[in-house]
Short mmCIF file of all heavy atoms in Angstrom, two decimals:
data_model
loop_
_atom_site.label_atom_id
_atom_site.label_comp_id
_atom_site.label_asym_id
_atom_site.label_seq_id
_atom_site.Cartn_x
_atom_site.Cartn_y
_atom_site.Cartn_z
N LYS A 210 -3.60 18.13 8.10
CA LYS A 210 -3.89 17.83 6.69
C LYS A 210 -4.96 16.75 6.56
O LYS A 210 -4.93 15.93 5.63
CB LYS A 210 -2.61 17.44 5.93
CG LYS A 210 -1.57 18.55 5.87
CD LYS A 210 -0.34 18.14 5.08
CE LYS A 210 0.61 19.30 4.88
NZ LYS A 210 1.06 19.93 6.14
N ALA A 211 -5.89 16.76 7.51
CA ALA A 211 -7.08 15.90 7.44
C ALA A 211 -8.21 16.80 6.95
O ALA A 211 -8.65 17.69 7.69
CB ALA A 211 -7.41 15.33 8.81
N ASP A 212 -8.65 16.60 5.73
CA ASP A 212 -9.55 17.59 5.13
C ASP A 212 -11.03 17.25 5.31
O ASP A 212 -11.88 17.71 4.55
CB ASP A 212 -9.23 17.80 3.66
CG ASP A 212 -9.25 16.52 2.83
OD1 ASP A 212 -9.46 15.45 3.43
OD2 ASP A 212 -9.06 16.61 1.61
N ALA A 213 -11.35 16.46 6.35
CA ALA A 213 -12.75 16.14 6.62
C ALA A 213 -12.94 15.89 8.11
O ALA A 213 -12.02 15.40 8.79
CB ALA A 213 -13.20 14.91 5.82
N ILE A 214 -14.13 16.20 8.60
CA ILE A 214 -14.46 15.98 10.01
C ILE A 214 -15.85 15.35 10.12
O ILE A 214 -16.63 15.36 9.17
CB ILE A 214 -14.45 17.29 10.83
CG1 ILE A 214 -15.53 18.26 10.32
CG2 ILE A 214 -13.06 17.93 10.82
CD1 ILE A 214 -15.73 19.47 11.22
N GLU A 215 -16.11 14.78 11.29
CA GLU A 215 -17.45 14.35 11.66
C GLU A 215 -17.85 15.12 12.91
O GLU A 215 -17.06 15.22 13.86
CB GLU A 215 -17.48 12.87 12.00
CG GLU A 215 -17.15 11.94 10.86
CD GLU A 215 -17.19 10.49 11.34
OE1 GLU A 215 -18.29 9.92 11.38
OE2 GLU A 215 -16.12 9.97 11.71
N ILE A 216 -19.06 15.65 12.92
CA ILE A 216 -19.56 16.30 14.12
C ILE A 216 -20.54 15.35 14.81
O ILE A 216 -20.94 14.33 14.25
CB ILE A 216 -20.22 17.66 13.81
CG1 ILE A 216 -21.41 17.49 12.85
CG2 ILE A 216 -19.20 18.62 13.22
CD1 ILE A 216 -22.18 18.79 12.62
N ARG A 217 -20.90 15.69 16.07
CA ARG A 217 -21.71 14.78 16.86
C ARG A 217 -22.87 15.54 17.51
O ARG A 217 -22.79 16.75 17.73
CB ARG A 217 -20.87 14.10 17.95
CG ARG A 217 -19.69 13.31 17.41
CD ARG A 217 -18.95 12.61 18.53
NE ARG A 217 -19.72 11.50 19.08
CZ ARG A 217 -19.53 10.21 18.76
NH1 ARG A 217 -18.60 9.88 17.88
NH2 ARG A 217 -20.26 9.27 19.31
N ASN A 218 -23.90 14.78 17.85
CA ASN A 218 -25.04 15.37 18.56
C ASN A 218 -25.14 14.84 19.99
O ASN A 218 -26.16 15.01 20.65
CB ASN A 218 -26.35 15.07 17.81
CG ASN A 218 -26.68 13.59 17.77
OD1 ASN A 218 -25.79 12.75 17.79
ND2 ASN A 218 -27.97 13.27 17.70
N ASP A 219 -24.07 14.16 20.47
CA ASP A 219 -24.13 13.53 21.79
C ASP A 219 -23.03 14.04 22.73
O ASP A 219 -22.72 13.39 23.73
CB ASP A 219 -24.03 12.02 21.65
CG ASP A 219 -22.74 11.55 20.99
OD1 ASP A 219 -21.98 12.40 20.50
OD2 ASP A 219 -22.51 10.32 20.95
N LEU A 220 -22.47 15.20 22.43
CA LEU A 220 -21.42 15.77 23.28
C LEU A 220 -21.92 17.08 23.88
O LEU A 220 -22.32 18.00 23.15
CB LEU A 220 -20.15 16.03 22.46
CG LEU A 220 -19.39 14.79 21.97
CD1 LEU A 220 -18.27 15.21 21.04
CD2 LEU A 220 -18.84 14.00 23.15
N LYS A 221 -21.87 17.17 25.19
CA LYS A 221 -22.34 18.37 25.88
C LYS A 221 -21.38 19.54 25.66
O LYS A 221 -20.16 19.37 25.66
CB LYS A 221 -22.45 18.10 27.39
CG LYS A 221 -23.43 17.00 27.76
CD LYS A 221 -24.86 17.40 27.45
CE LYS A 221 -25.84 16.33 27.93
NZ LYS A 221 -27.24 16.67 27.59
N GLY A 222 -21.94 20.71 25.45
CA GLY A 222 -21.16 21.92 25.41
C GLY A 222 -20.52 22.28 24.08
O GLY A 222 -19.85 23.30 23.97
N VAL A 223 -20.72 21.42 23.07
CA VAL A 223 -20.21 21.73 21.72
C VAL A 223 -21.33 21.47 20.71
O VAL A 223 -22.40 20.97 21.05
CB VAL A 223 -18.96 20.89 21.36
CG1 VAL A 223 -17.82 21.20 22.31
CG2 VAL A 223 -19.28 19.41 21.37
N GLU A 224 -21.04 21.83 19.47
CA GLU A 224 -22.03 21.58 18.43
C GLU A 224 -22.32 20.08 18.31
O GLU A 224 -21.42 19.27 18.47
CB GLU A 224 -21.53 22.14 17.09
CG GLU A 224 -20.42 21.37 16.39
CD GLU A 224 -19.11 21.25 17.17
OE1 GLU A 224 -18.78 22.14 17.94
OE2 GLU A 224 -18.43 20.22 16.98
N ILE A 225 -23.51 19.58 18.18
CA ILE A 225 -24.73 20.30 17.89
C ILE A 225 -25.47 20.68 19.18
O ILE A 225 -26.31 21.55 19.21
CB ILE A 225 -25.63 19.39 17.01
CG1 ILE A 225 -24.92 19.00 15.72
CG2 ILE A 225 -26.95 20.02 16.73
CD1 ILE A 225 -25.66 17.96 14.92
N GLU A 226 -25.11 20.02 20.26
CA GLU A 226 -25.85 20.13 21.52
C GLU A 226 -25.92 21.56 22.04
O GLU A 226 -26.90 21.95 22.70
CB GLU A 226 -25.21 19.20 22.56
CG GLU A 226 -26.02 19.00 23.84
CD GLU A 226 -25.76 20.07 24.88
OE1 GLU A 226 -24.70 20.75 24.81
OE2 GLU A 226 -26.62 20.23 25.78
N ASP A 227 -24.93 22.39 21.72
CA ASP A 227 -24.90 23.75 22.26
C ASP A 227 -25.72 24.74 21.45
O ASP A 227 -25.74 25.94 21.75
CB ASP A 227 -23.45 24.24 22.37
CG ASP A 227 -22.78 24.44 21.01
OD1 ASP A 227 -23.36 24.03 19.98
OD2 ASP A 227 -21.67 25.00 20.97
N GLY A 228 -26.40 24.26 20.42
CA GLY A 228 -27.26 25.14 19.63
C GLY A 228 -26.59 25.80 18.45
O GLY A 228 -27.20 26.65 17.78
N THR A 229 -25.36 25.41 18.13
CA THR A 229 -24.67 25.97 16.96
C THR A 229 -25.50 25.74 15.70
O THR A 229 -25.93 24.62 15.43
CB THR A 229 -23.29 25.32 16.78
OG1 THR A 229 -22.49 25.60 17.92
CG2 THR A 229 -22.59 25.85 15.54
N ALA A 230 -25.72 26.79 14.94
CA ALA A 230 -26.52 26.69 13.72
C ALA A 230 -25.78 25.90 12.65
O ALA A 230 -24.55 25.96 12.55
CB ALA A 230 -26.85 28.09 13.19
N ALA A 231 -26.54 25.17 11.85
CA ALA A 231 -25.94 24.37 10.78
C ALA A 231 -25.16 25.25 9.81
O ALA A 231 -24.09 24.87 9.33
CB ALA A 231 -27.03 23.60 10.04
N GLN A 232 -25.68 26.43 9.51
CA GLN A 232 -25.00 27.33 8.59
C GLN A 232 -23.64 27.78 9.14
O GLN A 232 -22.69 28.00 8.38
CB GLN A 232 -25.88 28.55 8.29
CG GLN A 232 -26.95 28.30 7.26
CD GLN A 232 -26.38 27.98 5.89
OE1 GLN A 232 -25.28 28.40 5.53
NE2 GLN A 232 -27.12 27.21 5.10
N THR A 233 -23.54 27.89 10.47
CA THR A 233 -22.26 28.25 11.08
C THR A 233 -21.23 27.16 10.85
O THR A 233 -20.07 27.45 10.51
CB THR A 233 -22.45 28.49 12.59
OG1 THR A 233 -23.37 29.56 12.79
CG2 THR A 233 -21.12 28.82 13.26
N VAL A 234 -21.66 25.91 11.03
CA VAL A 234 -20.76 24.78 10.77
C VAL A 234 -20.32 24.80 9.31
O VAL A 234 -19.12 24.66 9.01
CB VAL A 234 -21.46 23.44 11.09
CG1 VAL A 234 -20.56 22.26 10.71
CG2 VAL A 234 -21.84 23.36 12.57
N ARG A 235 -21.27 24.98 8.41
CA ARG A 235 -20.96 25.00 6.98
C ARG A 235 -19.95 26.10 6.64
O ARG A 235 -18.96 25.87 5.94
CB ARG A 235 -22.24 25.21 6.16
CG ARG A 235 -22.01 25.27 4.66
CD ARG A 235 -23.27 25.69 3.91
NE ARG A 235 -24.24 24.62 3.82
CZ ARG A 235 -24.32 23.75 2.80
NH1 ARG A 235 -23.45 23.82 1.80
NH2 ARG A 235 -25.26 22.84 2.78
N GLN A 236 -20.18 27.30 7.16
CA GLN A 236 -19.33 28.44 6.84
C GLN A 236 -17.92 28.29 7.41
O GLN A 236 -16.93 28.58 6.73
CB GLN A 236 -19.98 29.72 7.35
CG GLN A 236 -21.24 30.11 6.58
CD GLN A 236 -22.09 31.15 7.29
OE1 GLN A 236 -21.72 31.66 8.35
NE2 GLN A 236 -23.24 31.47 6.71
N LEU A 237 -17.83 27.82 8.66
CA LEU A 237 -16.52 27.64 9.27
C LEU A 237 -15.70 26.59 8.53
O LEU A 237 -14.50 26.76 8.32
CB LEU A 237 -16.68 27.24 10.74
CG LEU A 237 -17.15 28.33 11.70
CD1 LEU A 237 -17.47 27.73 13.06
CD2 LEU A 237 -16.09 29.42 11.84
N CYS A 238 -16.36 25.50 8.14
CA CYS A 238 -15.65 24.44 7.41
C CYS A 238 -15.26 24.89 6.00
O CYS A 238 -14.14 24.65 5.56
CB CYS A 238 -16.53 23.19 7.35
SG CYS A 238 -16.69 22.32 8.92
N ALA A 239 -16.18 25.56 5.32
CA ALA A 239 -15.90 26.01 3.95
C ALA A 239 -14.74 26.98 3.92
O ALA A 239 -13.91 26.96 2.99
CB ALA A 239 -17.15 26.65 3.35
N ALA A 240 -14.64 27.82 4.94
CA ALA A 240 -13.57 28.81 4.97
C ALA A 240 -12.19 28.18 5.07
O ALA A 240 -11.19 28.77 4.65
CB ALA A 240 -13.79 29.76 6.16
N LYS A 241 -12.13 26.96 5.61
CA LYS A 241 -10.85 26.27 5.77
C LYS A 241 -10.69 25.08 4.84
O LYS A 241 -9.73 24.32 4.95
CB LYS A 241 -10.69 25.80 7.22
CG LYS A 241 -10.64 26.93 8.25
CD LYS A 241 -9.42 27.82 8.05
CE LYS A 241 -9.36 28.96 9.06
NZ LYS A 241 -8.99 28.54 10.41
N GLY A 242 -11.65 24.90 3.91
CA GLY A 242 -11.55 23.80 2.95
C GLY A 242 -11.78 22.43 3.57
O GLY A 242 -11.23 21.43 3.09
N ILE A 243 -12.61 22.38 4.61
CA ILE A 243 -12.88 21.13 5.31
C ILE A 243 -14.28 20.62 4.95
O ILE A 243 -15.24 21.38 4.94
CB ILE A 243 -12.80 21.34 6.84
CG1 ILE A 243 -11.37 21.72 7.24
CG2 ILE A 243 -13.26 20.11 7.59
CD1 ILE A 243 -10.35 20.63 7.02
N SER A 244 -14.38 19.33 4.66
CA SER A 244 -15.66 18.70 4.38
C SER A 244 -16.25 18.12 5.66
O SER A 244 -15.52 17.69 6.56
CB SER A 244 -15.50 17.57 3.36
OG SER A 244 -14.98 18.05 2.14
N VAL A 245 -17.58 18.08 5.73
CA VAL A 245 -18.27 17.42 6.84
C VAL A 245 -18.74 16.06 6.35
O VAL A 245 -19.58 15.97 5.45
CB VAL A 245 -19.46 18.25 7.36
CG1 VAL A 245 -20.12 17.54 8.54
CG2 VAL A 245 -19.03 19.65 7.76
N LEU A 246 -18.19 15.01 6.91
CA LEU A 246 -18.55 13.66 6.48
C LEU A 246 -19.90 13.24 7.02
O LEU A 246 -20.71 12.64 6.32
CB LEU A 246 -17.49 12.65 6.94
CG LEU A 246 -16.10 12.77 6.32
CD1 LEU A 246 -15.18 11.72 6.93
CD2 LEU A 246 -16.17 12.60 4.82
N SER A 247 -20.12 13.51 8.31
CA SER A 247 -21.35 12.99 8.91
C SER A 247 -21.70 13.74 10.18
O SER A 247 -20.88 14.43 10.77
CB SER A 247 -21.19 11.51 9.25
OG SER A 247 -20.47 11.35 10.46
N ILE A 248 -22.96 13.53 10.58
CA ILE A 248 -23.39 13.79 11.95
C ILE A 248 -23.50 12.43 12.62
O ILE A 248 -24.06 11.48 12.08
CB ILE A 248 -24.76 14.49 12.00
CG1 ILE A 248 -24.69 15.87 11.35
CG2 ILE A 248 -25.23 14.61 13.45
CD1 ILE A 248 -26.04 16.55 11.26
N ASN A 249 -22.95 12.32 13.80
CA ASN A 249 -22.90 11.06 14.54
C ASN A 249 -23.61 11.27 15.88
O ASN A 249 -23.09 11.97 16.73
CB ASN A 249 -21.42 10.70 14.74
CG ASN A 249 -21.17 9.32 15.24
OD1 ASN A 249 -22.00 8.73 15.88
ND2 ASN A 249 -19.96 8.82 14.98
#
Side-chain angles (χ1 to χ4, degrees):
K210 297 182 173 57
D212 56 356
I214 63 171
E215 296 179 84
I216 60 174
R217 302 183 71 99
N218 65 331
D219 60 353
L220 291 172
K221 299 293 184 182
V223 298
E224 73 300 329
I225 301 172
E226 191 274 340
D227 67 350
T229 299
Q232 280 296 333
T233 299
V234 176
R235 179 189 284 268
Q236 290 165 4
L237 288 171
C238 288
K241 297 296 180 74
I243 296 294
S244 300
V245 182
L246 294 178
S247 79
I248 297 175
N249 191 334

